[in-house]
Amino acid sequence: MVENCLCSTGFYHVSRIGFIKGFYPLLAALVRWRPETHTFVLPVGEVTVTLEDVAQTFGLLIDGEPVSGWTDSSGDFLQSQSIAIFGREPVVSSSSKSFTKMGWVRGIRDAEPLDTEKSIKRYVICQIFYLLGSTQFTDKSTAYAHAKYLPLLRDFEWIHTYSWGSACLAHLYRALCHASRWSQSYRSSAWLSKTIAIFRQEIDYMDEFVWRPYEGLIIPDELHGHFEVCDIVVLLVSFECVEWHHANQVMRQFGYAQPPPPVARDVPSREYCITLRGIQLYDWTVLHGGWIEEWGNRRNTQLQYLHPLPT
């Protein structure tokens, strides 16, 4: 009943994924991340999660406007946005008024009668907000999602215009950077289980790697244009989170020969310390205006222009 409406927003494919269970030993073994280049360092070379991976795995839109806007910690902001979108006052986190309870959103979604266009759209928006908090922008708690995304969902016809895929990857890069910094701290020997050691040994002696794993797969028609900009060298933006997509560090993943890469550009270290806690009243489209402008120039940074000879 909601499939066509969900497709129009660009969230149809990711909504079909369902629950994702992480395999901890493998994830722990893969925390060999270079924050400067956003790459995993393996015996075969440097590899990373790219925009192509996000598009292939989640089916999220890439070529669109940056996911950015206001963050406002006032109760009035959350209440007005929730009433406009969900039609009722929100249930918020006890520790922060900026976070909406996911169970409350699920309850609204599941209670929708789906007998009118308005009801169907509200169901879809609830589903999207739930996906943002549980799949795309997760943190240590999956019980709450930040209210900053609500204004982007308020106009249903504009939801598909945002680059949700690049924002998702920016969030992942930021989390990996934090994890790799943590991995440099002291750990007890009990943390290093035998299973993790086996994975690390296999990675250390890796001599093969599938650089183009998606060749031959059928791409949905609505995603073709978005795959055209997966090889860009540009800053990914998601509100307070800004991270570089260094496609020129992993050119073999896009079917190109890998020359010595240039010095990777990095986000100032102070930006890694930003957390959306406490009192907030920021317009990130202004604070990150320069980087958002670079994102607007993304098509001029594609590898086909930087290095036009595929191998």
Side-chain angles (χ1 to χ4, degrees), residues 62-75:
I62 305 296
D63 194 23
E65 296 299 312
V67 175
S68 190
W70 282 89
T71 52
D72 187 342
S73 60
S74 67

Side-chain angles (χ1 to χ4, degrees), residues 75 78-92 100 104-105 108:
L78 180 56
Q79 185 176 41
S80 62
Q81 294 294 328
S82 297
I83 291 176
I85 295 172
F86 304 121
R88 62 201 74 182
E89 295 186 5
V91 175
V92 301
T100 301
W104 175 75
V105 176
I108 296 175

Side-chain angles (χ1 to χ4, degrees), residues 154-175:
R154 192 162 177 171
D155 189 336
F156 190 87
E157 307 305 323
W158 281 86
I159 294 176
H160 76 283
T161 65
Y162 296 105
S163 178
W164 297 103
S166 67
C168 177
L169 187 57
H171 188 88
L172 175 63
Y173 282 171
R174 178 61 56 90

